Amino acid sequence: MSTTTTSPSQAAWPQGVSATGDSRERRGRPDWTDAVFFLLLAVGAGFAISRFGHAMDYYETVILCGLVPALTWLGWLWRPLRVLMLACALAAGLALMLYQNDLARAEHVFFLKYLFSSQSAVLWMCALFMLATVCYWGGIVSPTSAWLGTALTWGAVFAGLTGLLVRWRESHLMGPDLGHIPVSNLYEVFVLFSLITALFYLYYERKYATRALGGFVLLVISSAIVFLLWYSFTRDAGQIQPLVPALKSWWMKLHVPANFIGYGTFSLAAMVGFAYLIKQHGETASWAKLAPLFVLGVLLCAEPMVFRTDGLSATWMIYGGVGVVITGLILAARRPIARALPSLEVLDDIMYRAIAVGFAFFTVATVLGALWAADAWGAYWQWDPKETWALIVWLNYAAWLHMRLIKGLRGGMAAYWALVGLLITGFAFLGVNMFLSGLHSYGEL
């Protein structure tokens, strides 16, 4: 007679979901709820075209119509997305009703000032993500805390997505020629990055029935939140600014989201790689074997400080120091953390899937970027620094996938490579903007 034990973070999952691996949930054929969801999306798209069609060109109308079947499919693929989309639509709709086409009401109407204006919603997102990070780490010893981490992460995604939707409308209320999709500057794309990374994590959390990875993945989101808050309060970055001429294109609606799906999933894969190495070395007593992992952690914590072109500030010195301490504490507590983590096979599978998805979207984003460049500048490729580093990122993950599929790359080497990939991706995302001026220098600090 044998018994099966489950870690606290893997307990209390629905019947039919494995506590140690892929749930393999049977979705079945679309049912009447999918048809209703499709009709709701179609009605929403029709309303948007009838109400705001004057601000949309032909291509943007096609993109909106194409989103209806795409979002319906995603809602069938992952049911919680339907609830999220409907909740965000209702919240954003309420915000627009409260505005009554007057931006000044954001300072006087209670629900706008403290909840539903774009900046208020984003601040709520930041707070909830930080709290979720703490709860996920507490979930190593307390199942209730881990469950709360999941709930707070969903709350943060709801707040952030609502904030972006409302911000889109706010930009149009500022003037007839100022409205644009909120993915045009560092403030907006950091919000987008946090949301995409969190959503992919929540999907894998459900699919593999484990919350033990939440603390790892939320660390990279929390780092983005720290940057977002610093950037907002020191540079007043939350203010909506007019687009530069090159960004006034429908290509942006496709290129930027696809790009950040790549960034988000690459970051998720790196943190899962970190968890893999903690699991692999959970029982080792030798710190020498952990030295490469600690060095990589220090480099990742120090990378934002390197991006400062005006000298080190107290904020980023504290950030780097806290990051190094957190890395050291995780390594010191590796034994109980390793016991709570799923198997190495599951971690390896999540890492592979995340990189594969990210690589596919990053490839699409690169092709779209080339088409956009040809439309805006008359050439598909000009070896601009951003383009060059995008190619380096693409080659890095192409090599990772090649080595896995052809040479059977697995284990610690794959995990270390994923962490190094995050360093490369981080420089392509931010470092290029700091040090290498070029045609893509729209997000300078």
Side-chain angles (χ1 to χ4, degrees):
M1 180 177 180
S2 62
T3 59
T4 302
T5 60
T6 60
S7 66
S9 60
Q10 296 169 327
W13 287 93
Q15 186 177 2
V17 179
S18 168
T20 58
D22 190 342
S23 63
R24 306 289 184 188
E25 293 179 273
R26 294 184 179 179
R27 301 181 188 90
R29 299 178 62 183
D31 56 25
W32 67 270
T33 62
D34 297 292
V36 171
F37 185 60
F38 173 81
L39 289 175
L40 288 174
L41 291 174
V43 169
F47 173 79
I49 292 172
S50 64
R51 181 73 180 274
F52 308 112
H54 62 278
M56 303 166 61
D57 61 24
Y58 169 78
Y59 298 102
E60 290 168 331
T61 303
V62 170
I63 292 171
L64 178 60
C65 293
L67 276 176
V68 173
L71 293 179
T72 302
W73 176 74
L74 286 175
W76 167 78
L77 185 69
W78 189 29
R79 299 296 192 188
L81 269 185
R82 301 196 305 191
V83 178
L84 173 67
M85 287 187 276
L86 292 174
C88 290
L90 290 173
L94 175 60
L96 300 191
M97 290 175 57
L98 293 174
Y99 266 121
Q100 297 180 7
N101 294 325
D102 181 8
L103 274 177
R105 288 174 61 84
E107 299 298 324
H108 309 294
V109 178
F110 177 85
F111 286 106
L112 288 176
K113 186 174 183 178
Y114 296 106
L115 288 175
F116 294 127
S117 70
S118 63
Q119 291 193 42
S120 297
V122 169
L123 286 175
W124 275 109
M125 179 200 77
C126 295
L128 292 172
F129 271 138
M130 299 299 282
L131 289 172
T133 305
V134 174
C135 289
Y136 271 124
W137 282 111
I140 299 297
V141 295
S142 169
T144 302
S145 181
W147 177 89
L148 185 57
T150 299
L152 289 170
T153 303
W154 275 111
V157 171
F158 164 75
L161 184 54
T162 299
L164 285 184
L165 292 173
V166 174
R167 186 179 178 86
W168 198 341
R169 180 56 180 160
E170 288 173 349
S171 69
H172 283 275
L173 293 178
M174 292 180 64
D177 298 325
L178 296 180
H180 58 271
I181 185 173
V183 293
S184 63
N185 56 41
L186 279 178
Y187 175 88
E188 293 165 351
V189 298
F190 261 92
V191 176
L192 181 66
F193 167 81
S194 301
L195 296 178
I196 288 173
T197 308
L199 277 172
F200 270 96
Y201 163 70
L202 288 168
Y203 173 76
Y204 288 123
E205 176 184 274
R206 174 73 180 187
K207 182 178 180 65
Y208 290 90
T210 176
R211 295 189 174 100
L213 291 171
F216 288 91
V217 179
L218 267 289
L219 281 179
V220 75
I221 296 177
S222 295
S223 298
I225 294 304
V226 170
F227 179 91
L228 181 65
L229 293 173
W230 170 82
Y231 192 45
S232 301
F233 291 117
T234 61
R235 306 301 171 91
D236 201 21
Q239 299 299 317
I240 299 173
Q241 301 294 333
L243 289 177
V244 299
L247 293 180
K248 294 180 179 179
S249 171
W250 61 272
W251 288 105
M252 184 170 67
K253 295 179 173 65
L254 300 174
H255 169 72
V256 177
N259 212 41
F260 277 87
I261 290 175
Y263 284 152
T265 50
F266 293 156
S267 300
L268 186 152
M271 301 314 291
V272 173
F274 186 22
Y276 184 100
L277 293 168
I278 293 295
K279 179 77 172 182
Q280 186 179 54
H281 299 294
E283 299 302 324
T284 182
S286 173
W287 277 87
K289 293 183 179 179
L290 298 172
L293 182 56
F294 181 73
V295 170
L296 263 178
V298 170
L299 289 175
L300 286 168
C301 295
E303 193 172 28
M305 292 193 294
V306 176
F307 291 158
R308 303 301 307 125
T309 57
D310 55 357
L312 292 178
S313 66
T315 301
W316 292 109
M317 291 179 68
I318 294 172
Y319 167 88
V322 170
V324 170
V325 169
I326 291 174
T327 302
L329 289 175
I330 293 173
L331 294 178
R334 60 190 179 279
R335 288 182 176 83
I337 294 174
R339 286 193 291 268
L341 288 170
S343 68
L344 291 175
E345 292 74 18
V346 167
L347 294 172
D348 183 79
D349 195 46
I350 296 174
M351 185 166 51
Y352 162 66
R353 288 171 183 260
I355 289 178
V357 170
F359 181 76
F361 276 94
F362 197 78
T363 301
V364 170
T366 302
V367 173
L368 291 172
L371 295 172
W372 185 7
D375 186 38
W377 300 318
Y380 291 101
W381 195 271
Q382 303 187 62
W383 293 105
D384 176 76
K386 198 77 168 181
E387 295 173 345
T388 303
W389 274 92
L391 178 61
I392 292 172
V393 171
W394 187 89
L395 289 172
N396 173 70
Y397 289 105
W400 192 99
L401 289 169
H402 173 80
M403 293 298 292
R404 180 184 178 92
L405 297 175
I406 304 301
K407 301 296 184 179
L409 178 70
R410 296 290 192 280
M413 179 59 72
Y416 274 117
W417 193 339
L419 278 169
V420 172
L422 183 56
L423 279 171
I424 298 171
T425 302
F427 187 83
F429 181 15
L430 278 181
V432 171
N433 297 64
M434 305 305 102
F435 298 119
L436 306 174
S437 62
L439 296 171
H440 291 77
S441 299
Y442 307 126
E444 296 173 334
L445 290 182

